[in-house]
Every structure is written in structure tokens, then in C-alpha cells.
């Protein structure tokens, strides 16, 4: 497709450590079109952050090593371009915000200065212009008294305000893509909702495409156009939000959905967490990586590595039986936690 | 800020009284008599001896001497040297500049070489330069200072004849040349520590989230280093160097003695030998005030580097 903004194709990032090779990202593909939102979902340690950082070339190599794949930004390879070119893209065309707003801002510099920095670097603004713009950006993300708050240091901001400041910094150069790596995980629930709302509102205004990384399917349900489900460093399901929510076709995705709490408190609902632990990435099980935890496991799952296959309409699944009409999700009948 | 300084001063008073009181007490149990030592070989008549003891207030009990000392101190009077009969203020007015000069030279060396080496070592981690710095700092830390001083004297003074080994000035060498070996000796161990602290701090800062944020903004490694990492990494280094400067301003007894450097440390050392108590007390008084001053300076610069620290906060002290 010509309009593709970002295309990731079979990306592999392995860490060569003393204990062995950690296959943190082992075959991830997706495309992102301008203005769209992609949700990247998976348990802790499934390689979501490493995927994003690899695209931005922010993983130190060594110990990291790109074992294959491609990242195309506007048709150009991010993985082979010169360091200076990547730097021109970082914070300018593709910006990032991180999980922990408490540690992601430099404690010894003023908020305004930190927001102004990308503008000075990429837009050639003077310090004064950049600072004035930083104040406007703080206003835009809903910080009251922005002019005076810009002179504050991070420790004078609450967690929610810091994440707003991070968003202001990320959007300062009007990027094409905003990568948000679990931007609300460290915040309490009411603030989470506010931050998500803010991001949606800003997206509407600026047309920025968003990659929303989260371990919570619920977070992306309302905002994503497409969803990528990751397990053990691999893409296991990919499709439009409707496809993934209404016709989920990987047992891991089913498990993620069953572990979503329903907000209907009148009925007794069951919460069915996925049994077991995600595999060590040093030693991924043979065959399908999910097979030791899969309630639907069959003999072939232990020997055959499933490929991501198209089920039609661009809905991809890496389950050997996804296309099998008899292979169905059974009602959640786990021992489960009843509440 | 002003209140903070006042508070620090108030905290200083008990420390000052504790140290000087202890010192006065020690002098009473120390063998040796300053008046007899001053007279040397020749015997004093009992009348003259008694009169001299009275003149220096030595005939009074030590606590009376102490109160007199404090009383004189509030007048800015540090007393009179028993050994030379000169005013103690005058003696230290002459010697303090030498201590100051040596301390500044040593601290400059420590900052330039210590921070520089630590910086290179961290940036070029696991390269030849890193190994060189790590190895040489380990050795420096383990070397006794007096041994290093004597070795420097031997090599550069006695063997090569290119640097003086004693005193602060001479006809043959420039004053600067006189400063070189004492400054290196005094700075050696702290320079090694400064380099190690700098290295470990920088490496630690490099793995912080805000450094990743800085790279994600598109800053170059140089900009990230100077614009984001250094200020954070310097905070502990500044504390260390500052405290060290305090110690150096107190007169480096060991270094000054090895090199016959006419500073405060050497003066106190000589005065102890002569039981010249007014000079010892005067020296200690000056040293205590110097330490107080430097510690204040360190705190102020610390707050300048780290905005999370602010003055006037009741929880700080
Ligand atoms: N420098 C590294 N060396 C070795 N292993 C690493 C390194 N960085 C990351 N990993 C491993 O890569 C795996 C994927 O990590 P990643 O941070 O991408 O997970 P994640 O999906 O973002 O999880 P979370 O939800 O906890 O943020 C983890 O198992 C982690 O231990
Ligand atoms: Mg993560």
C-alpha cells in the first residue's frame, strides 16, 4: 500500500547475554497508516517495549542484535539508514512516551526546558521561541498556569502531570507517529482515563498516528484501529479491532479476553486468568510457544512452529488451527476467580 | 538562604566547643613543658620560669585557660606563641596563604584529572583507556601518601634534578615548580577516588530512563552527555571534591611536613613538637572555620546542581 507510514516486517531482536540468547523480539510484523492507532497487546515480558525501541534504534548493540526483518518509515529503512538520519526522525517524525513518568523526565532540568529541547534540535528555534512554544504545549495538554509551571522541576509535578508533560514533549514537533509505551500503567485509574482521553483528543487535532502499547486489551478496545497481540516475542494475532474483538482466533487472545474484568457488577462474573507463566525467552518451548499454557493444545502444537497466516481480510493468526471451522473457543469454564 | 546559613552556624557551635575542649584536655595530660622547651639547654631560674608561665596563663587550671581562650577568641585574639613570642594571628596570616595555594593547586588537579579520567573511562568503557584508568586508580588508592611523596622527591628531585623537593621558594626554582610535587602528592588519592566516583556515576546515569527519553528526542550522544547526564552524575562528585577541599584547607599535615611546605599543617606539626599550645589552638580554630565554610559552599553548590534540594526546609540540615 502506498499510504503506509510505518511498516515492520518480521523484525527480530535478540540479546546475546552470558546466559544465552534472549529472543526478545522474534518475528513481529505490522503496518501503520497515517492517523491510525495500532494497539500492541501482550503480557509483561512479551517484547512490546523492545519492539518499539528496536524500531527507533534505541537498543544498545551489543548486547542487542537485529537478527532479521525490516522497519520502513515512509518507505525508507530505519535499520540501515545513517545514525544522523535516525536522529532526525527521533522526537521529530516519530516520538515516544514511556511507562514511568516519574523517572522519564530529567530531575535536574526545568520542565519547560525539557519540552523545548526537541524544538531547538529539530526546528531550529531559538531558546526563547522554543520556551514560548513549550508553554503553549503545556497549555494544550491541560496544565493550568502553564507559564509558571514550565519553570517547575519534575519533582514539583504529580505523576499525571508529568505524563502530560511527556505528551507535550512528544508532540512538540508535530510527529507523524507517537509511540506510547504503557503510558498509563503507572498512574491511578482516574488519571489513566484522563490521559487516554487527552491522547485521543490530541490525535483528532493533529492527525498523529499512535502505537499504543499496553498489557490491557481494555485500554485499546475503544481507541485502536488495529490490534497486534504479542506472545513470547512473536506476533500471534493481528487484525482490525473488530476482528480481534469479535472473531479472536488465537487461544492466547481468548485467554486475554477472559482475563478482562467485566464492569457489570450486577451479575457475578468470572475472571479467568491464563494459567501458568510466560516462557523464558532464553528457552522458548519448541513448536507453538504458547503450547504449554494452551487449554486447546494438540499433538502438532508441540512440534510445528505456526506461521502467521491470513484468515482473510488481513486478519492474521499464528495458531495452527485458526482456520479450522471446528476449532472454537469454549465458554470460560475455568476454576476462575468468582467475584 | 540566610536562615539556612545561620542554622548551619548554630549547628557548628557545639562541634567547635567539643573539639577545642577535647584538645585543651589533651594538652593537660601531654608530657612536656612549652616554657622549658623554649629555653632549650640553658636552665631558667625558678623566678623567671614562674613569671613566664604566668605570662602565658599556664599557671591556671586548664578550664580557666579554656574560658580565657574563648574570651580572647571573641575579640579576634588567638594569643601569643610561647616558642617565638609572636602573635598567633600573625603566624597564620603568613602561613595560611601557603596552605590555600597548595589546596587550590591540588583541587584543580583533582578536578581536571579526576573528573577527566573518570569521564573518559566511562565513555570508553571496556577499552584500553578504561582499563588504564581503573588499574591506575586502584594502585593510587592503595599507595601510602608519604611513600608516594618520598618517591616523587627521589625521582624528580634527587635523580632528575628537575623539581625542588623542599620549601615553597628558592633561588634556583620558580614558585610554581615548588608547588608541583606537593600538589601531586596531596591530590593523588582523592584524584583516584574522584575518577572512580565519576566513572561509576556516569555509567549509572546512562541507564536511567530520562537518558533514554533524551535519546528518543533525537539528541546526539554529545548533547545527551553534556545536557542530560553530566549534571546528574556530577552531584556526588561535587560532594566528594568539596569535602576534600575542606580537608585540604585544614592543612595537609603529612604532605606539608614531607615537603617542608610552610603552611598551616606544617606549622601545627611543629607547634605540637614544641608544645606551643596557643599556636596549636589557633591553628585548629582556623581549620575548623575553614571546614565550616567549605561545607557550606558544598551544600550551596549541591542545591544549585540538584533542584530537589532547597534551603529552609526543616527536614534538611
Ligand atoms: N538488554 C537486555 N538484555 C537481555 N534481555 C533483555 C534486555 N532488554 C530486554 N530484555 C528482555 O526482553 C524481553 C522483552 O522485554 P520487553 O521490555 O520488551 O517486554 P514488555 O512486553 O515491554 O513487558 P512490560 O509489559 O513489562 O513492559 C524481556 O524478557 C526482557 O528480559
Ligand atoms: Mg515494556
Amino acid at each position: 500500500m502506498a499510504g503506509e507510514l510505518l511498516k515492520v516486517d518480521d523484525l527480530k531482536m535478540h540479546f546475546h547475554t552470558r546466559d544465552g540468547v534472549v529472543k526478545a523480539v522474534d518475528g513481529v510484523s505490522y503496518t501503520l497508516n497515517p492517523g491510525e492507532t495500532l494497539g500492541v497487546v501482550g503480557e509483561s515480558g512479551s517484547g512490546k517495549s523492545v519492539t518499539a525501541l528496536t524500531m527507533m534504534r534505541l537498543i544498545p548493540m551489543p548486547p542487542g542484535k537485529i537478527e532479521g526483518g525490516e522497519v520502513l518509515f515512509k518507505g525508507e529503512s530505519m535499520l540501515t539508514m545513517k545514525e544522523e538520519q535516525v536522529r532526525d526522525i527521533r522526537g521529530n517524525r516519530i516520538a515516544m512516551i514511556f511507562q514511568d513518568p516519574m523517572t522519564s523526565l530529567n530531575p535536574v532540568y526545568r520542565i519547560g526546558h525539557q519540552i523545548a529541547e526537541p524544538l531547538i534540535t529539530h526546528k531550529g528555534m531559538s531558546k526563547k521561541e522554543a520556551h514560548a512554544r513549550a508553554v503553549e504545549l503545556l497549555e494544550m495538554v491541560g496544565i493550568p498556569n502553564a507559564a509558571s509551571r514550565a519553570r517547575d522541576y519534575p519533582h514539583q509535578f504529580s505523576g499525571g502531570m508529568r505524563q502530560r508533560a511527556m505528551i507535550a514533549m512528544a508532540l512538540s514537533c508535530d510527529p507523524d507517529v507517537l509511540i506510547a509505551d504503557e503510558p498509563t500503567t503507572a498512574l491511578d485509574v482516574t488519571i489513566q482515563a484522563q490521559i487516554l482521553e487527552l491522547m485521543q483528543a490530541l490525535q483528532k487535532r493533529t492527525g498523529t498516528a499512535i502505537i499504543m502499547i499496553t498489557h490491557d486489551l481494555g485500554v485499546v478496545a475503544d481507541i485502536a484501529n488495529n490490534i497486534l497481540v504479542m506472545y513470547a516475542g512473536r506476533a500471534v494475532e493481528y487484525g482490525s479491532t473488530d476482528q480481534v474483538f469479535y472473531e479472536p482466533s488465537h487461544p492466547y487472545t481468548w485467554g486475554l479476553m477472559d482475563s478482562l474484568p467485566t464492569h457489570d457488577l450486577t451479575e457475578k462474573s468470572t475472571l479467568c486468568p491464563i494459567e501458568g507463566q510466560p516462557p523464558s525467552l532464553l528457552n522458548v518451548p519448541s513448536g507453538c510457544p504458547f503450547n504449554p499454557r494452551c487449554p486447546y493444545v494438540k499433538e502438532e502444537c508441540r512440534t510445528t512452529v505456526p506461521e502467521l497466516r491470513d484468515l482473510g481480510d488481513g486478519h492474521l493468526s499464528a495458531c495452527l488451527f485458526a482456520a479450522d471451522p471446528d476449532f472454537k473457543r469454549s465458554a470460560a469454564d475455568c476454576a476462575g476467580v468468582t467475584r | 538562604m540566610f536562615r539556612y546559613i545561620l542554622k548551619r552556624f548554630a549547628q557548628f557551635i557545639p562541634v567547635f566547643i567539643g573539639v577545642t575542649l577535647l584538645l585543651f584536655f589533651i594538652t593537660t595530660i601531654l608530657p612536656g613543658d612549652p616554657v622549658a622547651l623554649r629555653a632549650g639547654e640553658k636552665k631558667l631560674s625558678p623566678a623567671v620560669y614562674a613569671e613566664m608561665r604566668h605570662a602565658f596563663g599556664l599557671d591556671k587550671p586548664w578550664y580557666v585557660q579554656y574560658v580565657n581562650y574563648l574570651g580572647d577568641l571573641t575579640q579576634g585574639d588567638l594569643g601569643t606563641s610561647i616558642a617565638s613570642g609572636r602573635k598567633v594571628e600573625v603566624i597564620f596570616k603568613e602561613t595560611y596563604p601557603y596552605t590555600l595555594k597548595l589546596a587550590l593547586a591540588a583541587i584543580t588537579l583533582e578536578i581536571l584529572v579526576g573528573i577527566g579520567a573518570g569521564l573518559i573511562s566511562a565513555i570508553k568503557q571496556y577499552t584500553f583507556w578504561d582499563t588504564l584508568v581503573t588499574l591506575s586508580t586502584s594502585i593510587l588508592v592503595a599507595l601510602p601518601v608519604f611513600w608516594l611523596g618520598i618517591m616523587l622527591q627521589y625521582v624528580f628531585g634527587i635523580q632528575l634534578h628537575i623539581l625542588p623537593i623542599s620549601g615553597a621558594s628558592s633561588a634556583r626554582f620558580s614558585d610554581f615548580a615548588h608547588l608541583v610535587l606537593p600538589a601531586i602528592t596531596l591530590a593523588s588519592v582523592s584524584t583516584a577516588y574522584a575518577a572512580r566516583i565519576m566513572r561509576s556515576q556516569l555509567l549509572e546515569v546512562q541507564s536511567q530512563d530520562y537518558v533514554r527519553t533524551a535519546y528518543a528526542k533525537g539528541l546526539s550522544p554529545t548533547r545527551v552527555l553534556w545536557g542530560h547526564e553530566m549534571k546528574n552524575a556530577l552531584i556526588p562528585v561535587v560532594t566528594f571534591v568539596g569535602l576534600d577541599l575542606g580537608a585540604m584547607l585544614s592543612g595537609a599535615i603529612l604532605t606539608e611536613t614531607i615537603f617542608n611546605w610552610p603552611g598551616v599543617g606544617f606549622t601545627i606539626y611543629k607547634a605540637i613538637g614544641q608544645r606551643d599550645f596557643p599556636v596549636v589552638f589557633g591553628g585548629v580554630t582556623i581549620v575548623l572555620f575553614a571546614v565550616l565554610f567549605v561545607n557550606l559552599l558544598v551544600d550551596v553548590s549541591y542545591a544549585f546542581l540538584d533542584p530537589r534540594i532547597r534551603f529552609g526546609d526543616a527536614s534538611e540540615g
Side-chain angles (χ1 to χ4, degrees), chain B residues 7-88:
Chain B
K7 207 175 96 193
R8 283 301 295 259
F9 211 82
Q11 286 169 345
F12 170 70
I13 290 171
V15 175
F16 181 80
I17 293 186
V19 171
T20 47
L21 212 60
L22 188 70
L23 204 67
F24 261 82
F25 176 70
I26 289 174
T27 58
T28 62
I29 55 171
L30 213 60
D33 181 340
V35 175
L37 278 168
R38 181 185 174 179
E41 295 294 300
K42 109 185 133 176
K43 266 262 184 255
L44 289 173
S45 77
V48 175
Y49 178 76
E51 191 181 324
M52 278 184 76
R53 282 190 67 85
H54 179 73
F56 288 110
L58 295 168
D59 53 344
K60 302 200 181 69
W62 67 271
Y63 46 86
V64 177
Q65 291 183 36
Y66 183 67
V67 171
N68 287 343
Y69 154 79
L70 284 186
D72 288 347
L73 186 63
T74 55
Q75 313 285 313
D77 181 3
L78 289 175
T80 308
S81 162
I82 301 173
S84 66
R86 301 175 67 210
K87 293 296 288 177
V88 173

Side-chain angles (χ1 to χ4, degrees), chain A residues 13-17 20 22-25 40-53 59-60 62-64 99 181-182 185 213-215 230 233 279-282:
Chain A
M13 168 63 83
H14 296 177
F15 291 100
H16 293 258
T17 67
V22 178
K23 299 182 178 172
V25 178
V40 178
V41 188
E43 277 168 300
S44 190
S46 55
K48 307 179 298 289
S49 299
V50 175
T51 305
L53 293 169
I59 300 274
Q99 178 165 345
D181 189 354
E182 308 201 35
T185 306
I213 299 173
T214 172
H215 54 246
M230 284 187 67
S280 152
L281 297 178
L282 271 170

